[in-house]
Amino acid sequence: MIIVKDNFFSDLDEIKKILQKVPVYSNEDWERSTNKKIYWQGNRSNDFGTSHKDIYDMIKKNIEVTFKKKFKINSMCLHERKDERMNPHLDTDGHDTNCLIYISGVQGIQNGTGFYNNDELSVSVGFMENRAILFPSNHLHSCLQAIYSKKSSFRVTVNCFMEEEK
């Protein structure tokens, strides 16, 4: 099930100020520093759980209060991107739930996220600052920017990869 919640943070402007101080890395920088091959588009931060524990704790609490569930968060990072190609994918590397939080970018479907059923785009969630989407990690999804390349903009999200606690 895909759950969308608007007004995720009570003070988005304050969150933006905090997140602007978080460094992000290109694929090349990440691979050089970690010796690990990655395949994402755009730039990402280090995991908040190890590099920004205060941000991690604040966002984790907000996720649990908003969605009324407890989670073990395996990874949480800042992601900046403007995709040039579609990349439908699953995020099933050791977790069962994703929370994608839209932080900044131009509002609209052109910066949003698409969800697929039987390899066909079936649900589109438009980008709106301060919107959170909770969905199963094994649900095929993709950023929609490449479809609307002339109308899309750079977007910033917080990506959380989690396991629901039973």
Side-chain angles (χ1 to χ4, degrees):
M1 178 171 11
I2 301 167
I3 302 171
V4 178
K5 295 284 187 175
D6 292 339
N7 303 310
F8 181 73
F9 294 111
S10 59
D11 189 350
L12 181 62
D13 290 334
E14 185 61 30
I15 298 301
K16 285 181 177 180
K17 286 179 193 173
I18 292 167
L19 293 176
Q20 285 175 347
K21 298 174 186 172
V22 175
V24 294
Y25 304 96
S26 68
N27 286 352
E28 296 80 20
D29 290 341
W30 184 274
E31 289 173 1
R32 255 193 310 279
S33 68
T34 64
N35 284 330
K36 293 180 185 175
K37 186 77 176 153
I38 52 173
Y39 302 98
W40 66 60
Q41 297 184 70
N43 304 316
R44 286 199 187 192
S45 71
N46 287 323
D47 178 24
F48 289 170
T50 56
S51 64
H52 296 86
K53 189 74 168 110
D54 53 336
I55 298 171
Y56 171 92
D57 289 340
M58 175 192 54
I59 293 174
K60 181 180 190 294
K61 179 180 178 185
N62 216 40
I63 289 170
E64 292 179 341
V65 167
T66 300
F67 295 106
K68 297 173 179 50
K69 296 179 182 183
K70 294 284 186 190
F71 294 98
K72 174 185 175 227
I73 298 183
N74 298 331
S75 176
M76 179 190 298
C77 65
L78 192 64
H79 192 186
E80 299 176 346
R81 69 194 301 166
K82 184 169 187 316
D83 289 0
E84 297 174 2
R85 61 180 166 75
M86 292 298 291
N87 181 31
H89 63 282
L90 307 173
D91 294 313
T92 55
D93 191 20
H95 47 272
D96 58 25
T97 306
N98 288 12
C99 185
L100 179 63
I101 307 163
Y102 295 150
I103 303 298
S104 63
V106 172
Q107 182 172 314
I109 203 70
Q110 71 274 13
N111 275 341
T113 304
F115 295 89
Y116 298 74
N117 285 326
N118 301 320
D119 295 326
E120 293 289 326
L121 184 61
S122 62
V123 174
S124 300
V125 178
F127 186 96
M128 184 166 66
E129 291 185 356
N130 208 16
R131 173 175 280 170
I133 309 167
L134 189 77
F135 60 96
S137 300
N138 65 355
H139 198 131
L140 191 65
H141 61 282
S142 181
C143 180
L144 295 174
Q145 292 170 321
I147 294 175
Y148 304 99
S149 61
K150 289 186 177 20
K151 293 182 179 181
S152 64
S153 72
F154 208 73
R155 79 178 199 186
V156 177
T157 61
V158 172
N159 296 26
C160 304
F161 305 101
M162 316 176 298
E163 294 174 64
E164 187 175 343
E165 292 182 0
K166 307 292 182 203

